[in-house]
Amino acid sequence: MVQVPTRAVPTNRRAIILAIFIAFGFLFGYDIGVISGCLIMPDFQRRFGTVVDGQPTLSSSRQSIITSLLSAGTFVGSLCQAFTSDSMGRRGSILLWSGIFTIGVIIQTATTYSLAQITIGRFIAGLGVGALSAIVPLYNGETSPKAIRGMMIVLYQFQIIIGIFVSYVIDLGTHSINSSASWRIPVGLQMLWGLILLSGIFFLPESPRHLLGRGRIDECRAVIAELNSVPVDDPLVGETLEELQIGINAENEGGKAGWLECFSTRNALWWRTTNGMMLQFIQQLNGQNFYYYYGDTFFQSAGTQLSPYVIQTILGAVSVAGTIPALYLIDNLGRRRSLLIGSLLEATCAIIAGLVGHYTLAPAGTAASLLTPRNKSGGDVLIAFAVLHVFAYSMFWGPTPWVYLGESFPLRVRPKAIALGSATNWLWNFLLSFFSPRIAADIGPLILLIFFGMLVFGWFYVFFAIPETKGLSLEEVDEMYRAGVKPWQSSKFVPSVGRVHDTATSENEVRDADEKKSSSA
């Protein structure tokens, strides 16, 4: 009588705990939000601005430099992490870039009057933030069970939003301090967040896919067991290991992948890489980051009776509230439908806020005593739809592109393809933060019409180019792309079942790799 191996009941508790920790997007979220409030703090303006008519003022050009240098650093960091993720592993890379981020924060906090020093500090911190923004989806995509992978990656976006909200609250609490403590406290607190992430060296496991790709089979087996909370000899561990090994063997047959392979026709890699980059591009031009970076300054001209700090805190709370349902929607509504619905809702908010603001707001700099009831009501409408815009973004376009980026690529090119997507995000984040204050100074609320046009474009792009990946393992996503499934039919895709298919897939990929070698010889 054949004895059937007993199975332990797997749980996702360990994977969830690790994902919550590693998805410490709190770093980037806090850094986005904190600078917004600092830009209008009197002591900050006195130290880093210029004197105009006897009053210290931070010009739009200086605002652009201070804000955008973080984004410039994130662009570089998101590309550099592709090298460290492969050579040092996902775990070691996370720790390296966390340390770099902390160094950048120290430089910023130690600044006295030097505009150059604070911008250099933001650039160095940006290196860490950009690298981590690419490694986190990569790590979570490789360690999370497929049933909850989307939710785990959404935790990254959720923690970004939490970081933004906390920074607004701290800015609200410190802005009235009549010294450099008003901005040093919120800026310096980032050191604490960096040190928390650095502490991960004591308990973070390496990615099982990375370990197996390096031939460290016993370590891989132990990590799989740990993530599923089962014994090392449980059948689930062996099955998962076998599934990973087949995919890795097939991918490694072609030799080491280069950057250009991300755009090769093999396995539709060009389509997948382009989709990852396009979603990040569209996400940045949704309009929400305009509110995050320059909301304090922008809302001052809306004539509201509320403090700009209070409005920003409200926006932060709305963002947190919007991201909570995303944890459920991402794996139930799906990636594709989330993006389509989000495009429509945000486009509606952007066009209403832009037109109402343009036709009803008073010119910038108008004294509060001179504002008419029409000006005030227009400002209230603009702020209301800005809040709705941010809420819709947090539910749909905020987390979904990162989820898609983390689950769309085979192991062979995954670090490089994710790096390209993240770099696209940070490139447009830099351009947005650098040019937005200049554009808003010229056309005011009509800048929101630019975001409206991009959201309309985004709807059509998603409909015709983005397939549904909900509920599929990373290997099944690979199969769907190879099968050439139409995006609008992808929700009906059923992956092949059984080892016969897996073996055939492996043989086909090996044959493709052999042909590639022969043609290059």
Side-chain angles (χ1 to χ4, degrees):
M1 182 176 180
V2 178
Q3 184 176 5
V4 179
T6 57
R7 286 178 175 266
V9 179
T11 69
N12 298 321
R13 186 182 302 111
R14 177 64 171 166
I16 290 173
I17 292 173
L18 288 173
I20 290 174
F21 177 82
I22 203 60
F24 210 61
F26 196 95
L27 288 172
F28 173 56
Y30 188 92
D31 207 33
I32 283 183
V34 78
I35 198 62
S36 176
C38 291
L39 293 177
I40 59 172
M41 289 181 181
D43 187 81
F44 193 89
Q45 292 182 334
R46 181 176 65 83
R47 290 172 180 271
F48 306 112
T50 55
V51 177
V52 178
D53 297 329
Q55 293 293 327
T57 303
L58 203 60
S59 65
S60 60
S61 61
R62 291 200 172 205
Q63 288 184 36
S64 297
I65 293 171
I66 293 173
T67 305
S68 63
L69 258 291
L70 175 82
S71 302
T74 56
F75 173 74
V76 177
S78 61
L79 290 175
C80 292
Q81 67 77 31
F83 302 99
T84 61
S85 291
D86 281 336
S87 62
M88 300 176 61
R90 289 26 165 176
R91 175 178 177 268
S93 193
I94 287 170
L95 299 173
L96 168 67
W97 293 106
S98 299
I100 291 174
F101 169 82
T102 305
I103 292 171
V105 174
I106 292 173
I107 293 173
Q108 291 178 66
T109 309
T111 307
T112 52
Y113 292 93
S114 172
L115 178 65
Q117 182 176 340
I118 197 167
T119 53
I120 289 172
R122 284 183 61 76
F123 178 82
I124 294 174
L127 292 173
V129 170
L132 292 170
S133 73
I135 300 170
V136 166
L138 173 67
Y139 184 89
N140 275 342
E142 293 182 349
T143 57
S144 301
K146 67 179 181 180
I148 60 169
R149 186 178 64 241
M151 183 180 72
M152 292 298 96
I153 300 178
V154 169
L155 281 173
Y156 174 62
Q157 175 68 20
F158 182 60
Q159 292 195 5
I160 288 178
I161 299 300
I162 291 286
I164 291 173
F165 174 63
V166 170
S167 74
Y168 290 162
V169 172
I170 293 175
D171 279 347
L172 177 64
T174 65
H175 78 277
S176 59
I177 299 176
N178 192 26
S179 70
S180 64
S182 61
W183 58 271
R184 286 188 197 276
I185 291 174
V187 170
L189 273 174
Q190 294 173 99
M191 283 185 282
L192 175 61
W193 318 143
L195 291 173
I196 289 174
L197 193 51
L198 276 170
S199 69
I201 192 171
F202 298 108
F203 63 88
L204 278 182
E206 184 53 84
S207 158
R209 282 178 173 85
H210 176 77
L211 290 173
L212 197 57
R214 291 303 180 98
R216 296 155 64 181
I217 298 176
D218 290 340
E219 293 176 66
C220 175
R221 191 185 301 274
V223 171
I224 293 172
E226 177 186 4
L227 292 174
N228 289 277
S229 301
V230 297
V232 176
D233 58 355
D234 189 85
L236 173 65
V237 175
E239 292 167 4
T240 303
L241 190 68
E242 182 182 3
E243 180 182 343
L244 293 177
Q245 187 68 68
I246 289 173
I248 289 172
N249 287 344
E251 290 298 332
N252 287 342
E253 283 296 325
K256 187 175 181 180
W259 288 91
L260 289 179
E261 187 170 338
C262 295
F263 298 97
S264 71
T265 56
R266 180 172 179 260
N267 293 341
L269 286 177
W270 69 271
W271 178 18
R272 298 150 84 163
T273 303
T274 300
N275 278 349
M277 296 173 69
M278 286 297 295
L279 286 183
Q280 297 294 327
F281 160 62
I282 297 168
Q283 185 205 55
Q284 281 304 304
L285 292 183
N286 267 213
Q288 81 295 333
N289 275 351
F290 174 74
Y291 295 125
Y292 289 151
Y293 281 129
Y294 301 109
D296 287 6
T297 306
F298 188 64
F299 292 137
Q300 278 184 327
S301 64
T304 177
Q305 300 301 309
L306 295 175
S307 159
Y309 292 99
V310 173
I311 296 173
Q312 285 290 77
T313 303
I314 293 172
L315 280 179
V318 167
S319 297
V320 172
T323 309
I324 292 174
L327 295 169
Y328 171 82
L329 293 174
I330 194 68
D331 282 319
N332 289 273
L333 188 61
R335 285 63 155 153
R336 180 179 162 84
R337 290 173 65 189
S338 291
L339 293 171
L340 292 172
I341 293 171
S343 296
L344 294 178
L345 292 178
E346 289 180 61
T348 301
C349 294
I351 193 169
I352 293 175
L355 292 178
V356 169
H358 176 69
Y359 287 110
T360 63
L361 292 189
T366 302
S369 59
L370 300 178
L371 296 176
T372 66
R374 175 183 171 84
N375 298 147
K376 294 179 181 178
S377 62
D380 291 340
V381 170
L382 185 151
I383 292 170
F385 277 93
V387 168
L388 292 174
H389 187 151
V390 169
F391 184 80
Y393 169 82
S394 300
M395 275 201 298
F396 301 115
W397 271 92
T400 307
W402 291 108
V403 174
Y404 188 86
L405 193 64
E407 64 187 10
S408 294
F409 307 105
L411 179 68
R412 177 178 170 78
V413 298
R414 188 172 296 143
K416 292 181 174 64
I418 290 179
L420 289 170
S422 298
T424 301
N425 181 288
W426 298 123
L427 172 63
W428 285 96
N429 185 288
F430 165 74
L431 294 174
L432 177 74
S433 59
F434 188 80
F435 290 108
S436 284
R438 293 168 166 81
I439 297 173
D442 290 336
I443 63 176
L446 286 181
I447 190 174
L448 298 175
L449 298 189
I450 298 175
F451 306 134
F452 165 76
M454 181 52 61
L455 286 160
V456 172
F457 166 77
W459 190 94
F460 283 100
Y461 186 86
V462 170
F463 184 85
F464 288 107
I466 302 298
E468 181 58 72
T469 55
K470 178 186 73 171
L472 301 177
S473 70
L474 299 184
E475 289 70 31
E476 289 165 349
V477 171
D478 200 42
E479 177 191 345
M480 178 178 65
Y481 272 103
R482 291 197 310 270
V485 177
K486 298 289 190 294
W488 52 91
Q489 298 173 342
S490 57
S491 61
K492 301 177 182 178
F493 170 72
V494 178
S496 300
V497 179
R499 190 53 57 195
V500 172
H501 162 74
D502 288 335
T503 303
T505 296
S506 177
E507 290 173 353
N508 288 336
E509 291 204 350
V510 170
R511 190 181 305 114
D512 287 345
D514 289 340
E515 291 174 356
K516 181 181 175 184
K517 285 181 178 179
S518 299
S519 61
S520 61

